Amino acid sequence: MPAPTYLTDRSPGHGALSPRSRLDSDAPVLDLTGTWRFRLSPVADPETEPWEGDDAGWDTIAVPGHWVLQGDGGYGRPIYTNVNYPFPIDPPFVPDENPTGDYRRTFTLPDDGAWSGAERILLRLDGVESVYRLWVNGTEVGVGKGSRLVHEFDITVHLRPGENQLAVRVHQWSDASYLEDQDQWWLPGIFRDVMLLARPAGGLDDVWVRADYDHATGHGALGLELAAAPEAFPVTLTVPDLGIEHRWDGPADVAPIPVGDVEPWSAEVPRRYDVVLAARGETVTVRTGFRTVRIVGDQFLVNGRQVIFRGVNRHEIEATRGRVFDPEHARADLELMKRYNVNAIRTSHYPPHPGLLDLADELGFWVMDECDLETHGFEKVGWRDNPSDDPRWRDAYLDRIARTVERDKNHPSIVMWSLGNESGTGQNLAAMSAWVHRRDPGRPVHYEGDHTGEYTDVYSRMYPALEEIDAIGGEHGRLMACSPAQGARLRRRPFVMCEYIHAMGNGPGAIAEYDERIRAYPRVHGGFVWEWRDHGLLTATGNGTPFYAYGGDFGEVIHDGNFITDGMILSDGTPSPGLAEYAAVVAPVRLTLTGDADAVLVTNDRHTADTTDLAFRWAVEVDGETMASDTLDVPPVSAGSTAHIVLPDPARAALSRVGDQGSEVWLRLVAALARPAAWGPAGHVISACQVDLTASRCTGGSPRPAAPPATGSTAPRQAGGEITLGPARFDARTGRLTRLGGMAVDGLTPELWRAPTDNDRGAGQGSLEEASPEETGGLGVPGPSSAERWTRRGLDRLVHRTHEVQVLDDRFIVRIRSGAAATSMGIETTLTYLADGDVLVVRVDIAPRGPWEGTWPRVGLRLDLPGTLDHARWFGPGPEESYADVAVAALVAVHERTIDKLAVRYARPQETGHRPDVRWLHLSGGDGPNLELQSFNELGGVGQVGRPGFTASRHTAQELTAAAHPHELPLSERVHLYLDAAQHGIGSRACGPDVLPQHQLWPATHSFAVGLRVR
């Protein structure tokens, strides 16, 4: 039997009413969510209609919900693809194997006057994936298409007093699926609310409140658009907070209302006013904010001031519910964004639940509201048959943008409409843009795929290299896919990165370098990180072990693996170190010490708010501990302004008392909330920085200790197969350290391997190992990923040969040569041991041997320690992990964590937990002995010399590499301490640019020294 024609007719569906705003009304509503009857068929044409027969034998299912996340797999499983369609590309057709869910429930129509006297009764479905057909009491009502779009159906004539039956047939695949290829889980079902609306006679069918603001005068104006029959009048408008009351006796009387002085709405000061409209049959409240969006030249302005988007892309996702909206979860999400200095949201890649936009209005975010559209899979066939340029799909495209704009038009947080994402280009997108410009000229139109700016208002790019931003922000250089004339036109527009600094796994790197460009070029208006949250779905192994699943974990025929876990927070909501780095880099209020070290420069980069909500503090820190601290008196600094604040006398006095030649001296400056905000407690840190004053405040200016001892206090002794040197014992043949004091150990073993990060594994853009950014416009050249290069060279499988063991009068020297099978590339490591009382001092010199090609992941040593150690305390950068290109958030202090909390539980195990430039480290646990490490920073010699970084992990880099999920890691009986002279940077090549040259680790000689003691 052929599939129903509505699955392949390219239409927007039929039977639904014209879209309108989501309004806060006193008209009655009947919630139809809850438990429904459900049956699932493998094809689109079951033998019976969902309204026929007895449903006693059907299952029950929760609405809202996705059927593949219910029933323990009995209703199928989620599918993840990024670009690929999970069915043949044969538009508008889909396979006969088309899971189809029939939903059914009864409801009792209330018998009160509000319902019995209603002029119309509407059925509203807020979100159903992908296409559905519905019946009321056995009569077909219509077909809805557009999974993340609201549809309302007039079912008045189909209802009867008392009990009624509602039946909905939902198909997983349809022609609409070609328009919804949005880099997310395919999750069919009724996943948003279902409501019955009693529409009163004399009601307000639609309301649009345009609340404009004149920044020059401070005055507001209300423009009203009412969809109401004449019998709804008179309509009274009141704004209680402004003392406004206005009455219109008929439709012709509706006109703009000047308001006078108002407080404007912005993402930083989200002042809202209740506009109450009372008609004969209904009262509606619209919570609006006065603000005006304008593009003037290449500037994107709100209320006359430039907006810089410090934004994230946000999908609707939760690890157990999928895209089912939960207001508490959404509020927690947005509050967390505010605490991490995020000020903007792109609703990738569809309109969110309207409750999310209510929260954005309330808490304050600049929002780019995106239409439910993506056809990315057509890229795989050269965009052949792409619906975006096929007139047969025009009505479907226009319906989608109309449903987006009309539902959400009253939200002040929305400052830009986006036509969709990664859908190529074509006449249908241009028609969407033209429709938006006619309907809402007060908001600009965005679409990244309009590469030459033919029909949009802002220039947008994804994952541009720094060199491309230089070309866009400056006046010279070729712009992608543009002629010189087109490039000149685009440079006259605001530039926004709708996706950048891809936040997959460990990373992203180079946030600070991107921020430098944003601050340097006036036409560069920031961007939106990809993305906010990992999409892992909580599931369990056969033996009940829980884990967060990604692509391939549900047996998909094709999938894109863990590319679905690319967020700034993990699937369980844990903020990543990358988010902390982002917050530190984009901090809206910056504190710096002037060149004479006597004054603090306070820079307020906010759009609207001054600094009266903040409290400022200073602290003098000596050797990682706070010696003195107090408040810093900062007068209000207005948005866009700076202030020079003289360092207070107590701070100067504290610094003057620092005189120890070996001490490290830091001045810490902090800006924090002075009082609770809607999204954070008093004391929450907005911005923090440190200034190293060691050289200027300490005699000699060098942190202690400057260098390891020149001679040992104890001579090495050899007896049988063992060498003893002070507190240490070594294997006489291999030179391996086997015991230190009362602790059994094993090492020190040279190591070049790290478990590849998602960015190490990625090849989203070209390699910058073989070509410089300057030569390639920052894009590099095609080439394998860093992980593939490192694996080819055998860096994950080094074998070691003790080349020489040398016992001298006061020291013990071990020379080790390391390499991999089938290659002549190798390293030579020289370990020089001295005993200084109960401290074992080791100097490490590592040099490349042979014709090395390409970068190293890391260069250092591994020491295996007892698994009873469970706590780390250190003096150095922290508290989170940091790397060469992820280093702004890490502040030098004394930090502590449990061993298990040093690492991040990324969805796919990878390199994690590195803390560079450690001064000292204490590892402790239980009643057993503890390990103390002291580093030295002046060694002499050639090559790269400095303090090492450390990683303490219960798993080796090789074990992390072999595991696809955290629960697959083997049981651990050791703690593995890595001491790294250096590590390769992070970058964002999972989708964006490679590690920048200045952060790459190339083969070279590296040296460091540490003292080890067991207590």
Side-chain angles (χ1 to χ4, degrees):
M1 182 181 296
T5 57
Y6 61 82
L7 293 181
T8 58
D9 64 5
R10 303 183 181 87
S11 78
H14 63 265
L17 300 173
S18 297
R20 64 191 184 106
S21 299
R22 178 69 162 258
L23 297 172
D24 181 1
S25 166
D26 66 352
V29 175
L30 181 64
D31 185 355
L32 297 182
T33 60
T35 301
W36 290 46
R37 290 290 185 177
F38 179 75
R39 71 178 179 187
L40 184 68
S41 302
V43 294
D45 51 350
E47 293 182 1
T48 60
E49 301 288 18
W51 52 270
E52 294 179 317
D54 185 2
D55 61 13
W58 291 23
D59 296 335
T60 59
I61 199 168
V63 173
H66 303 281
W67 71 63
V68 293
L69 297 184
Q70 303 182 63
D72 294 326
Y75 305 137
R77 290 294 194 180
I79 298 171
Y80 167 59
T81 60
N82 171 25
V83 177
N84 295 298
Y85 287 109
F87 45 78
I89 304 174
D90 183 23
F93 304 105
V94 292
D96 294 337
E97 296 175 357
N98 189 353
T100 296
D102 286 339
Y103 292 79
R104 196 157 104 183
R105 68 156 294 163
T106 59
F107 62 90
T108 299
L109 195 66
D111 59 3
D112 59 69
W115 287 90
S116 60
E119 183 177 65
R120 293 184 302 163
I121 295 179
L122 309 183
L123 177 66
R124 182 174 69 207
L125 295 94
D126 281 331
V128 184
E129 183 177 330
S130 84
V131 166
Y132 61 96
R133 184 181 180 191
L134 62 90
W135 295 258
V136 174
N137 295 323
T139 301
E140 181 176 349
V141 174
V143 170
K145 296 185 181 182
S147 296
R148 271 66 70 176
L149 303 171
V150 63
H151 294 80
E152 292 181 341
F153 299 87
D154 186 344
I155 62 171
T156 310
V157 299
H158 306 301
L159 294 172
R160 56 195 178 210
E163 189 172 85
N164 291 264
Q165 183 201 76
L166 173 62
V168 185
R169 172 163 287 172
V170 181
H171 306 278
Q172 178 158 16
W173 310 122
S174 69
D175 54 358
S177 302
Y178 285 101
L179 308 184
E180 297 173 6
D181 186 27
Q182 288 142 325
D183 185 14
Q184 60 180 339
W185 294 103
W186 299 87
L187 299 173
I190 304 174
F191 67 93
R192 287 185 183 161
D193 295 338
V194 183
M195 298 285 181
L196 207 63
L197 312 178
R199 299 299 305 140
L204 297 168
D205 291 330
D206 200 5
V207 174
W208 188 0
V209 177
R210 293 184 174 97
D212 292 325
Y213 178 72
D214 185 338
H215 67 276
T217 64
H219 293 176
L222 287 174
L224 273 296
E225 181 181 299
L226 302 182
E231 53 267 27
F233 289 82
V235 174
T236 300
L237 177 147
T238 59
V239 186
D241 287 357
L242 296 175
I244 291 175
E245 182 171 337
H246 200 87
R247 170 176 162 142
W248 296 304
D249 291 322
D253 297 335
V254 178
I257 301 172
V259 173
D261 290 338
V262 296
E263 299 174 58
W265 185 98
S266 73
E268 293 162 3
V269 185
R271 177 66 164 97
R272 294 185 300 166
Y273 293 86
D274 284 354
V275 177
V276 182
L277 293 146
R280 285 187 180 275
E282 180 181 19
T283 297
V284 165
T285 301
V286 177
R287 292 171 181 83
T288 194
F290 289 90
R291 58 108 187 96
T292 300
V293 183
R294 294 283 186 271
I295 290 179
V296 179
D298 61 1
Q299 298 292 288
F300 188 106
L301 308 176
V302 175
N303 300 336
R305 286 187 54 81
Q306 184 187 28
V307 170
I308 301 297
F309 297 103
R310 307 295 194 178
V312 295
N313 284 271
R314 183 188 183 274
H315 269 290
E316 289 192 306
I317 192 69
E318 195 275 333
T320 59
R321 298 187 305 272
R323 283 189 284 279
V324 175
F325 182 76
D326 177 79
E328 292 184 3
H329 174 263
R331 179 177 289 275
D333 232 19
L334 269 60
E335 288 177 354
L336 188 64
M337 290 182 190
K338 296 289 283 191
R339 292 197 294 275
Y340 281 87
N341 294 332
V342 173
N343 73 2
I345 299 169
R346 178 184 180 217
T347 69
S348 55
H349 297 292
Y350 41 82
H353 188 283
L356 189 281
L357 298 173
D358 290 338
L359 289 169
D361 294 343
E362 174 194 340
L363 295 173
F365 289 90
W366 311 115
V367 174
M368 178 193 292
D369 196 10
E370 194 148 88
C371 186
D372 188 11
L373 176 65
E374 181 167 339
T375 68
H376 202 175
F378 285 92
E379 183 182 47
K380 294 290 186 177
V381 293
W383 297 105
R384 186 176 65 253
D385 296 327
N386 182 21
S388 294
D389 202 35
D390 185 337
R392 293 174 294 179
W393 295 85
R394 179 187 178 95
D395 289 346
Y397 274 60
L398 290 174
D399 180 74
R400 285 172 181 261
I401 193 62
R403 293 191 181 279
T404 299
V405 172
E406 297 294 356
R407 190 200 72 172
D408 296 342
K409 57 183 178 282
N410 279 304
H411 290 282
S413 59
I414 297 173
V415 295
M416 198 168 359
W417 301 112
S418 179
L419 303 180
N421 185 65
E422 293 175 323
S423 298
T425 191
Q427 58 184 293
N428 294 334
L429 287 158
M432 293 169 73
S433 179
W435 183 92
V436 176
H437 283 114
R438 291 192 301 271
R439 181 66 179 126
D440 183 16
R443 293 180 176 103
V445 173
H446 165 275
Y447 176 64
E448 186 269 344
D450 180 23
H451 295 311
T452 58
E454 298 296 327
Y455 47 84
T456 50
D457 301 309
V458 298
Y459 184 36
S460 178
R461 287 282 293 113
M462 292 181 179
Y463 310 106
L466 297 173
E467 287 70 19
E468 183 177 357
I469 300 175
D470 290 336
I472 295 167
E475 300 303 323
H476 304 285
R478 181 77 177 269
L479 303 192
M480 189 196 74
C482 291
S483 68
Q486 291 168 332
R489 181 175 72 232
L490 291 173
R491 285 193 181 94
R492 294 194 292 270
R493 299 183 181 182
F495 173 66
V496 175
M497 295 174 283
C498 66
E499 296 178 22
Y500 82 124
I501 51 176
H502 191 262
M504 186 174 180
N506 188 334
I511 300 174
E513 283 82 355
Y514 277 92
D515 189 71
E516 288 174 2
R517 266 61 176 191
I518 293 170
R519 297 183 189 277
Y521 298 114
R523 72 171 58 100
V524 178
H525 287 67
F528 299 83
V529 178
W530 187 268
E531 64 173 308
W532 172 242
R533 178 185 288 269
D534 281 359
H535 295 225
L537 295 176
L538 185 60
T539 186
T541 64
N543 65 7
T545 302
F547 71 100
Y548 291 97
Y550 51 72
D553 288 333
F554 296 109
E556 300 102 309
V557 174
I558 62 168
H559 62 84
D560 287 293
N562 70 321
F563 208 69
I564 194 75
T565 53
D566 47 9
M568 299 283 264
I569 64 175
L570 307 185
S571 298
D572 64 359
T574 301
S576 72
L579 181 57
E581 177 77 357
Y582 180 80
V585 170
V586 307
V589 175
R590 292 179 289 147
L591 303 165
T592 54
L593 204 62
T594 59
D596 56 9
D598 287 328
V600 177
L601 181 66
V602 180
T603 303
N604 183 0
D605 288 330
R606 290 167 159 182
H607 175 273
T608 307
D610 63 22
T611 59
T612 54
D613 62 323
L614 302 179
F616 298 85
R617 294 190 66 85
W618 60 266
V620 174
E621 299 168 334
V622 179
D623 290 338
E625 303 285 358
T626 300
M627 188 182 80
S629 67
D630 205 344
T631 59
L632 183 66
D633 187 15
V634 177
V637 182
S638 60
S641 300
T642 60
H644 285 79
I645 310 300
V646 176
L647 201 62
D649 290 340
R652 294 168 181 265
L655 290 170
S656 69
R657 292 195 298 268
V658 179
D660 184 348
Q661 178 176 348
S663 296
E664 254 187 88
V665 183
W666 294 82
L667 178 67
R668 184 182 296 225
L669 303 170
V670 174
L673 288 179
R675 53 189 177 274
W679 43 266
H684 171 74
V685 174
I686 299 296
S687 176
C689 76
Q690 281 183 313
V691 183
D692 186 355
L693 298 178
T694 301
S696 63
R697 299 293 171 174
C698 295
T699 306
S702 297
R704 73 164 181 267
T711 59
S713 63
T714 305
R717 292 178 291 107
Q718 182 169 356
E722 189 174 73
I723 293 173
T724 302
L725 177 62
R729 295 180 185 178
F730 302 86
D731 182 287
R733 183 180 63 84
T734 64
R736 294 179 71 86
L737 178 64
T738 60
R739 195 163 192 85
L740 186 62
M743 182 181 291
V745 301
D746 186 21
L748 296 156
T749 307
E751 185 64 88
L752 297 179
W753 184 250
R754 76 179 184 195
T757 67
D758 290 318
N759 288 306
D760 292 338
R761 294 179 185 273
Q765 292 188 18
S767 170
L768 293 178
E769 285 192 24
E770 296 185 356
S772 71
E774 294 76 16
E775 295 171 328
T776 61
L779 298 177
V781 293
S785 70
S786 294
E788 184 177 344
R789 292 175 186 272
W790 296 336
T791 302
R792 284 180 185 175
R793 295 169 190 142
L795 303 189
D796 58 333
R797 51 183 174 85
L798 294 183
V799 293
H800 313 283
R801 176 173 62 87
T802 302
H803 175 58
E804 183 179 17
V805 174
Q806 192 175 10
V807 180
L808 302 179
D809 290 343
D810 68 339
R811 65 196 61 205
F812 173 49
I813 300 175
V814 180
R815 292 185 174 88
I816 304 168
R817 290 187 174 179
S818 307
T823 175
S824 63
M825 294 180 288
I827 58 172
E828 180 161 319
T829 303
T830 301
L831 305 175
T832 303
Y833 295 97
L834 297 173
D836 185 16
D838 62 350
V839 176
L840 178 68
V841 177
V842 55
R843 172 173 174 142
V844 181
D845 297 281
I846 303 176
R849 296 180 62 252
W852 272 98
E853 300 172 354
T855 57
W856 287 344
R858 75 183 334 146
V859 53
L861 303 174
R862 189 183 100 199
L863 178 63
D864 296 342
L865 304 171
T868 54
L869 297 171
D870 61 8
H871 190 268
R873 190 167 186 264
W874 74 97
F875 175 28
E880 304 295 345
E881 64 188 24
S882 58
Y883 297 82
D885 53 354
V886 187
V888 175
L891 301 182
V892 174
V894 175
H895 307 284
E896 54 185 314
R897 286 269 175 95
T898 65
I899 296 291
D900 293 331
K901 293 297 184 181
L902 288 172
V904 180
R905 196 174 173 86
Y906 294 114
R908 179 171 184 164
Q910 56 195 273
E911 161 61 33
T912 176
H914 177 65
R915 271 80 177 174
D917 204 21
V918 65
R919 280 72 163 168
W920 55 256
L921 167 68
H922 296 171
L923 300 178
S924 60
D927 298 327
N930 304 324
L931 179 70
E932 297 180 355
L933 177 148
Q934 178 77 57
S935 69
F936 305 95
N937 69 323
E938 291 188 10
L939 305 182
V942 297
Q944 306 297 317
V945 178
R947 302 186 189 96
F950 84 93
T951 303
S953 170
R954 297 198 182 277
H955 296 95
T956 67
Q958 287 76 11
E959 289 171 339
L960 291 168
T961 303
H965 302 85
H967 70 271
E968 297 171 6
L969 290 165
L971 293 176
S972 172
E973 297 180 352
R974 296 285 191 96
V975 167
H976 307 284
L977 176 62
Y978 288 88
L979 298 175
D980 289 323
Q983 277 216 30
H984 191 65
I986 297 297
S988 61
R989 202 182 172 200
C991 192
D994 198 0
V995 175
L996 299 176
Q998 63 267 34
H999 302 308
Q1000 296 172 358
L1001 176 59
W1002 286 84
T1005 299
H1006 291 267
S1007 301
F1008 63 88
V1010 296
L1012 301 170
R1013 176 167 57 186
V1014 169
R1015 290 193 177 187

